Amino acid sequence: VMKISGVTISTADFSGVSLAKVAVAPVYSDSSGKYFQCNVGQLTERRSSKLSYDKKRAAKLWEDTQKLIHIKPDETMLNL
């Protein structure tokens, strides 16, 4: 795991193990929708970036995604 200019970079192996741990470990069972960052080899719950809470950007991203994958608004359960 390396940290460059405030960005944490880890190996594919570490990332895969961490993702699996968050997916199945009982300690993370109430962690849906939460963001985790590696901190000295440990996963730490963190608040994600300010941009990630921007509802207008999220709606635009979803609209663009719908166009790119050719689905119509009525073909999804999401209502942004």
Side-chain angles (χ1 to χ4, degrees), residues 46-78:
R46 301 285 306 248
R47 183 169 168 85
S48 62
S49 70
K50 277 187 166 184
L51 287 177
S52 71
Y53 296 94
D54 187 322
K55 291 184 188 256
K56 286 183 182 178
R57 285 179 183 255
K60 173 80 169 103
L61 175 61
W62 181 243
E63 289 168 11
D64 291 348
T65 300
Q66 287 177 306
K67 289 176 188 171
L68 286 169
I69 63 174
H70 306 289
I71 63 171
K72 299 176 186 134
D74 62 341
E75 294 176 322
T76 178
M77 295 180 351
L78 292 179

Side-chain angles (χ1 to χ4, degrees), residues 33-47:
K34 295 182 179 176
Y35 175 75
F36 292 90
Q37 184 174 14
C38 175
N39 187 10
V40 192
Q42 297 293 319
L43 292 176
T44 305
E45 187 178 332
R46 301 285 306 248
R47 183 169 168 85

Side-chain angles (χ1 to χ4, degrees), residues 13-31:
D13 286 342
F14 179 83
S15 296
V17 167
S18 298
L19 180 59
K21 188 185 297 184
V22 170
V24 299
V27 70
Y28 297 107
S29 64
D30 67 341
S31 297

